[in-house]
Amino acid sequence: MATVTVELPENIFSALGRSPHELEQEVRLAAAIDWYSRGLVSQGRGAEIAGVPRADFIDALADRKIEVAQIDFDSLDRDLGRMRRPLSTLVL
């Protein structure tokens, strides 16, 4: 796994009441949630980035009122349109 280093002011840990490890976990989760909400990563990849089980990642999304299911409405509309065709027009 690659490593990214982020420099923060020394007093940020005491200001937030977090240890460096806790803050690292929060930053990883925040990045994963942001990337997931923008459709850049899947739930599984988001959980991997955050370093948590997928169920915990889904809980974190729900806690922040982020849609858990990503729906591409254009693709859904196309799929539904195909389903509405009479069976005789479908190529099997």
Side-chain angles (χ1 to χ4, degrees):
M1 195 176 271
T3 300
V4 175
T5 303
V6 177
E7 293 185 21
L8 299 170
E10 283 294 325
N11 64 351
I12 194 69
F13 304 109
S14 61
L16 295 175
R18 304 282 193 275
S19 70
H21 178 72
E22 290 170 326
L23 193 57
E24 174 193 348
Q25 295 301 314
E26 284 188 33
V27 168
R28 288 176 62 172
L29 180 61
I33 288 172
D34 178 65
W35 294 333
Y36 173 81
S37 69
R38 292 191 289 148
L40 301 174
V41 298
S42 66
Q43 286 177 359
R45 183 57 56 133
E48 181 183 351
I49 292 164
V52 299
R54 186 172 175 192
D56 291 349
F57 185 68
I58 291 170
D59 288 343
L61 293 170
D63 289 346
R64 290 160 180 80
K65 299 185 180 12
I66 305 285
E67 291 293 327
V68 174
Q70 293 177 329
I71 300 171
D72 178 350
F73 288 105
D74 292 332
S75 294
L76 181 60
D77 191 46
R78 281 192 303 275
D79 291 344
L80 289 173
R82 278 188 230 120
M83 291 174 59
R84 290 187 196 114
R85 290 185 205 150
L87 288 177
S88 61
T89 65
L90 295 177
V91 176
L92 301 176

